[in-house]
Amino acid sequence: MVLFESPSADRTGPHILTAIRHYLSELLARDALLRNVDFRRYWFSSILNGFGGQISALALPLCSAILLRASPSQMGMLMACQAIPFALFALPAGVLLDRSRKLPILLGSEVVQALTLASIPAAYWLGLLSMHWMYAVAFVLGSCTVVGGGAEQIFLTFLIGRDGLIDAQSKFAASDSASRLISPGVAGILIQWLTAPYAILVNAAGFVVSVLNLRRISVRDPQPAPSDKHPLRDIRDGFIFIWGHPLLRTLAWAAGVWHLLFYGYAALAILFATRELGMSPGVLGAAQMVGGVGVFISSMVIKPLNRRFGAGVTLLIGTAATTLGFVLMPAIPTALFGSSMATTVAFASLSLFFDCGVMLFFMPYMAMRQKVTPDAFLGRMISTMRFLTVATAPLGALAAGYIAEHLSIRTGMACVGAGGILLTIAMALSKPIRDVRPERPVGATLDA
């Protein structure tokens, strides 16, 4: 069959391409960050890793819960293994980051993550996959997050400057929302088609491409000046700096309690969806796709909220939204109104609200702490804050798993919700957070 196109169709194609090029040119001209080629490369790697990370975020726990038939206590241990490296390595990692170039550390971390993720399908193929293997994988991935994640945040600050952090975070939130809209559904299909272990290969391949892309960045962060101070003195200085800053001190305890609750929630969420609500991997992936809408909403409202209320109030809004998710999720009945479809819709709706709250919590949190910290302390500040905020997270995961195994999954999640209510009240009463207003710089709380 021969298809004929009209002359007008021949002319329409170039006109559309010209219009698209014109729109992109105007977008680049208006946005200083998008004119930065190195930032665009950095953002592409962030999108790639975010897409793959969302697949692994579903595939890893499903691999444990369904394939290996993990108990609630084992799921709690799995989440704890991801957080334990923060307690072990966060402080020395801060000293390392302040004394080293960040980009090589970031690249090395992504290589290790690619190899670690690829070990899961290899172990499954060889018949070696077990919960102990999954614990080891979680520990290594958590260790890479401690070191490589810190390097990533500092390198971004060097790449675009502190004034561009909120704008950059809103762009990351927009791309995260797209990955949350697409990845869980793709993950559900891949898991049912390939099985969970092999679906994880998508994330491993993404890290490989990301490394090749990041190596093309032309900007190189400078080698810090050599230090003759003992590493323990540097660690002590990091603690002193955070303790002496009212805002950082407040953010440390608030984020610490939030992580304690979040890890407890995350340890039980997949078990709750699959065993209490009877959701299959495909349905669960589709429901979690709706969470991407929540991330997209947060990317749209973060800048207006910051301009109107300030980063502190925006942080409180995010905390309240996640708490509502903590409280309402375990209240979903097995068959809402006698329908499993209604149950899935309820789960998806709460995922949207919860994910929006998570982003509204983390974007101002990271921007505030980096904006008030001088370059010489960035590595120690980030790593010390990570130590203070995530070191307690294993306790939350283990406690939630213990309660779920000895009482019920719903009871464990309800305890997380009660903790969220207390945290929201305590943060709302905190003066350093409330005092961060749009009409004065974040660092003004130092003199408050």
Side-chain angles (χ1 to χ4, degrees), residues 183-213:
S183 302
V186 174
I189 295 172
L190 287 175
I191 290 167
Q192 294 199 183
W193 179 36
L194 300 174
T195 70
Y198 294 115
I200 294 169
L201 279 175
V202 174
N203 195 9
F207 276 120
V208 174
V209 176
S210 174
V211 169
L212 297 175
N213 173 62

Short mmCIF file of all heavy atoms in Angstrom, two decimals, residues 183-213:
data_model
loop_
_atom_site.label_atom_id
_atom_site.label_comp_id
_atom_site.label_asym_id
_atom_site.label_seq_id
_atom_site.Cartn_x
_atom_site.Cartn_y
_atom_site.Cartn_z
N SER A 183 7.31 5.35 36.51
CA SER A 183 8.13 4.22 36.97
C SER A 183 7.36 3.13 37.70
O SER A 183 7.57 1.94 37.41
CB SER A 183 9.27 4.72 37.85
OG SER A 183 10.07 5.64 37.15
N PRO A 184 6.47 3.46 38.69
CA PRO A 184 5.80 2.35 39.39
C PRO A 184 4.98 1.47 38.47
O PRO A 184 4.97 0.24 38.63
CB PRO A 184 4.92 3.08 40.42
CG PRO A 184 5.61 4.39 40.63
CD PRO A 184 6.16 4.75 39.30
N GLY A 185 4.30 2.08 37.49
CA GLY A 185 3.54 1.27 36.55
C GLY A 185 4.44 0.39 35.70
O GLY A 185 4.16 -0.79 35.49
N VAL A 186 5.55 1.00 35.23
CA VAL A 186 6.53 0.22 34.47
C VAL A 186 7.11 -0.88 35.36
O VAL A 186 7.31 -2.02 34.92
CB VAL A 186 7.64 1.13 33.93
CG1 VAL A 186 8.75 0.31 33.27
CG2 VAL A 186 7.07 2.13 32.93
N ALA A 187 7.40 -0.53 36.62
CA ALA A 187 7.96 -1.51 37.55
C ALA A 187 7.01 -2.68 37.76
O ALA A 187 7.43 -3.84 37.77
CB ALA A 187 8.28 -0.84 38.89
N GLY A 188 5.72 -2.37 37.94
CA GLY A 188 4.74 -3.44 38.13
C GLY A 188 4.70 -4.38 36.94
O GLY A 188 4.65 -5.61 37.10
N ILE A 189 4.76 -3.82 35.73
CA ILE A 189 4.75 -4.65 34.52
C ILE A 189 6.02 -5.48 34.43
O ILE A 189 6.00 -6.68 34.16
CB ILE A 189 4.59 -3.76 33.27
CG1 ILE A 189 3.21 -3.08 33.29
CG2 ILE A 189 4.77 -4.58 32.00
CD1 ILE A 189 3.04 -2.05 32.20
N LEU A 190 7.18 -4.82 34.67
CA LEU A 190 8.46 -5.52 34.59
C LEU A 190 8.55 -6.65 35.62
O LEU A 190 9.06 -7.73 35.34
CB LEU A 190 9.61 -4.54 34.80
CG LEU A 190 9.91 -3.57 33.65
CD1 LEU A 190 10.99 -2.58 34.07
CD2 LEU A 190 10.32 -4.32 32.39
N ILE A 191 8.05 -6.37 36.85
CA ILE A 191 8.12 -7.36 37.91
C ILE A 191 7.26 -8.59 37.56
O ILE A 191 7.66 -9.73 37.79
CB ILE A 191 7.69 -6.75 39.25
CG1 ILE A 191 8.75 -5.74 39.73
CG2 ILE A 191 7.47 -7.83 40.31
CD1 ILE A 191 8.28 -4.87 40.87
N GLN A 192 6.07 -8.35 36.99
CA GLN A 192 5.21 -9.47 36.62
C GLN A 192 5.74 -10.19 35.38
O GLN A 192 5.53 -11.39 35.21
CB GLN A 192 3.78 -8.99 36.40
CG GLN A 192 3.13 -8.46 37.66
CD GLN A 192 1.61 -8.40 37.58
OE1 GLN A 192 0.97 -7.95 38.49
NE2 GLN A 192 1.03 -8.86 36.51
N TRP A 193 6.44 -9.45 34.52
CA TRP A 193 6.95 -10.03 33.27
C TRP A 193 8.31 -10.72 33.49
O TRP A 193 8.51 -11.87 33.10
CB TRP A 193 7.06 -8.93 32.22
CG TRP A 193 7.58 -9.40 30.90
CD1 TRP A 193 7.35 -10.60 30.27
CD2 TRP A 193 8.44 -8.66 30.02
NE1 TRP A 193 8.00 -10.66 29.06
CE2 TRP A 193 8.68 -9.48 28.88
CE3 TRP A 193 9.00 -7.40 30.06
CZ2 TRP A 193 9.48 -9.06 27.82
CZ3 TRP A 193 9.79 -6.99 28.99
CH2 TRP A 193 10.03 -7.80 27.88
N LEU A 194 9.23 -10.00 34.15
CA LEU A 194 10.59 -10.52 34.32
C LEU A 194 10.84 -11.15 35.68
O LEU A 194 11.83 -11.85 35.85
CB LEU A 194 11.60 -9.37 34.13
CG LEU A 194 11.60 -8.65 32.78
CD1 LEU A 194 12.57 -7.47 32.83
CD2 LEU A 194 11.99 -9.60 31.66
N THR A 195 9.97 -10.88 36.66
CA THR A 195 10.15 -11.12 38.10
C THR A 195 10.99 -10.00 38.70
O THR A 195 11.78 -9.36 38.01
CB THR A 195 10.77 -12.50 38.45
OG1 THR A 195 12.14 -12.50 38.07
CG2 THR A 195 10.02 -13.63 37.79
N ALA A 196 10.80 -9.80 40.00
CA ALA A 196 11.40 -8.65 40.68
C ALA A 196 12.92 -8.58 40.56
O ALA A 196 13.47 -7.49 40.33
CB ALA A 196 10.97 -8.66 42.16
N PRO A 197 13.66 -9.69 40.73
CA PRO A 197 15.11 -9.56 40.65
C PRO A 197 15.61 -9.00 39.33
O PRO A 197 16.53 -8.17 39.30
CB PRO A 197 15.60 -11.01 40.87
CG PRO A 197 14.51 -11.66 41.63
CD PRO A 197 13.24 -11.05 41.10
N TYR A 198 15.03 -9.43 38.22
CA TYR A 198 15.52 -8.98 36.92
C TYR A 198 15.05 -7.56 36.59
O TYR A 198 15.71 -6.85 35.83
CB TYR A 198 15.08 -9.96 35.83
CG TYR A 198 15.73 -11.31 35.96
CD1 TYR A 198 14.97 -12.44 36.24
CD2 TYR A 198 17.11 -11.46 35.86
CE1 TYR A 198 15.56 -13.69 36.39
CE2 TYR A 198 17.72 -12.69 36.01
CZ TYR A 198 16.94 -13.81 36.27
OH TYR A 198 17.54 -15.03 36.44
N ALA A 199 13.93 -7.13 37.16
CA ALA A 199 13.49 -5.74 36.94
C ALA A 199 14.50 -4.76 37.52
O ALA A 199 14.63 -3.63 37.03
CB ALA A 199 12.12 -5.54 37.59
N ILE A 200 15.23 -5.16 38.56
CA ILE A 200 16.22 -4.28 39.20
C ILE A 200 17.36 -3.94 38.26
O ILE A 200 18.05 -2.93 38.44
CB ILE A 200 16.73 -4.95 40.50
CG1 ILE A 200 15.58 -5.04 41.51
CG2 ILE A 200 17.90 -4.22 41.11
CD1 ILE A 200 15.87 -5.91 42.71
N LEU A 201 17.58 -4.75 37.22
CA LEU A 201 18.64 -4.47 36.26
C LEU A 201 18.45 -3.13 35.57
O LEU A 201 19.42 -2.51 35.12
CB LEU A 201 18.71 -5.59 35.21
CG LEU A 201 19.45 -6.87 35.61
CD1 LEU A 201 19.33 -7.91 34.52
CD2 LEU A 201 20.92 -6.56 35.91
N VAL A 202 17.20 -2.67 35.45
CA VAL A 202 16.95 -1.36 34.83
C VAL A 202 17.64 -0.26 35.63
O VAL A 202 18.27 0.64 35.05
CB VAL A 202 15.43 -1.10 34.74
CG1 VAL A 202 15.16 0.31 34.23
CG2 VAL A 202 14.76 -2.13 33.85
N ASN A 203 17.55 -0.33 36.95
CA ASN A 203 18.21 0.67 37.79
C ASN A 203 19.72 0.56 37.69
O ASN A 203 20.43 1.58 37.62
CB ASN A 203 17.77 0.49 39.24
CG ASN A 203 18.11 1.69 40.11
OD1 ASN A 203 18.52 2.73 39.63
ND2 ASN A 203 17.95 1.55 41.40
N ALA A 204 20.26 -0.65 37.66
CA ALA A 204 21.71 -0.84 37.53
C ALA A 204 22.22 -0.25 36.22
O ALA A 204 23.25 0.44 36.19
CB ALA A 204 22.05 -2.33 37.60
N ALA A 205 21.48 -0.48 35.12
CA ALA A 205 21.89 0.09 33.83
C ALA A 205 21.83 1.61 33.85
O ALA A 205 22.67 2.29 33.26
CB ALA A 205 21.00 -0.47 32.72
N GLY A 206 20.83 2.16 34.56
CA GLY A 206 20.73 3.61 34.66
C GLY A 206 21.93 4.23 35.34
O GLY A 206 22.41 5.30 34.93
N PHE A 207 22.46 3.58 36.36
CA PHE A 207 23.66 4.10 37.03
C PHE A 207 24.86 4.11 36.08
O PHE A 207 25.68 5.03 36.12
CB PHE A 207 23.98 3.27 38.27
CG PHE A 207 23.20 3.68 39.49
CD1 PHE A 207 22.35 2.80 40.13
CD2 PHE A 207 23.33 4.96 40.02
CE1 PHE A 207 21.63 3.17 41.26
CE2 PHE A 207 22.61 5.35 41.14
CZ PHE A 207 21.76 4.46 41.76
N VAL A 208 24.96 3.10 35.25
CA VAL A 208 26.08 3.05 34.29
C VAL A 208 26.00 4.23 33.33
O VAL A 208 26.99 4.94 33.08
CB VAL A 208 26.07 1.72 33.51
CG1 VAL A 208 27.13 1.74 32.41
CG2 VAL A 208 26.32 0.55 34.46
N VAL A 209 24.81 4.49 32.78
CA VAL A 209 24.64 5.62 31.86
C VAL A 209 24.89 6.94 32.59
O VAL A 209 25.49 7.87 32.04
CB VAL A 209 23.22 5.60 31.25
CG1 VAL A 209 22.99 6.82 30.37
CG2 VAL A 209 23.00 4.32 30.45
N SER A 210 24.45 7.03 33.84
CA SER A 210 24.65 8.25 34.62
C SER A 210 26.13 8.55 34.81
O SER A 210 26.56 9.71 34.69
CB SER A 210 23.96 8.11 35.98
OG SER A 210 24.26 9.22 36.81
N VAL A 211 26.92 7.54 35.09
CA VAL A 211 28.37 7.74 35.26
C VAL A 211 28.99 8.28 33.97
O VAL A 211 29.78 9.24 34.00
CB VAL A 211 29.05 6.42 35.68
CG1 VAL A 211 30.57 6.55 35.59
CG2 VAL A 211 28.64 6.04 37.09
N LEU A 212 28.62 7.70 32.84
CA LEU A 212 29.16 8.17 31.56
C LEU A 212 28.74 9.61 31.29
O LEU A 212 29.52 10.41 30.72
CB LEU A 212 28.67 7.26 30.44
CG LEU A 212 29.13 5.79 30.51
CD1 LEU A 212 28.49 4.97 29.40
CD2 LEU A 212 30.66 5.70 30.44
N ASN A 213 27.52 9.97 31.70
CA ASN A 213 27.04 11.34 31.48
C ASN A 213 27.74 12.34 32.40
O ASN A 213 28.16 13.41 31.96
CB ASN A 213 25.52 11.37 31.72
CG ASN A 213 24.95 12.77 31.69
OD1 ASN A 213 25.01 13.46 30.67
ND2 ASN A 213 24.40 13.21 32.80
#
